[in-house]
Amino acid sequence: MKFRACDALSLDEGERFDAVVIYNAYPHFPDKPALVKKVYRLLKPSGRFVVAHGIGREATNLHHEAVAAG
């Protein structure tokens, strides 16, 4: 099993992955459609794309609203 912690946008598309996990970072990608397309090209046919946050949707949204207002 391989594990990589890196910028998904910089990965070589010749390499395929069983899963791509974006943890606590998805809101910070400025071009989400480009990210999703890149992840699709990186995944094996049965691969999974997981976006997760450690504090839940409401808390994440409140955090980003506070940062934008600040």
Side-chain angles (χ1 to χ4, degrees), residues 5 9-12 17 23 28-30 32 34 37-40 42-43 47 49 52 54-59 62-63:
L9 295 173
S10 69
L11 287 170
D12 177 5
F17 296 88
Y23 187 75
H28 304 282
F29 284 90
K32 290 169 186 61
K37 288 176 186 174
K38 176 72 172 195
V39 169
Y40 178 79
L42 291 169
L43 287 172
F49 178 30
I55 59 175
R57 182 182 301 205
E58 279 187 31
L62 286 173
H63 169 74

Side-chain angles (χ1 to χ4, degrees), residues 21-29 50-56 60 63-64:
V21 178
I22 297 178
Y23 187 75
N24 284 346
Y26 188 77
H28 304 282
F29 284 90
V50 178
V51 176
H53 296 278
I55 59 175
T60 299
H63 169 74
H64 287 107

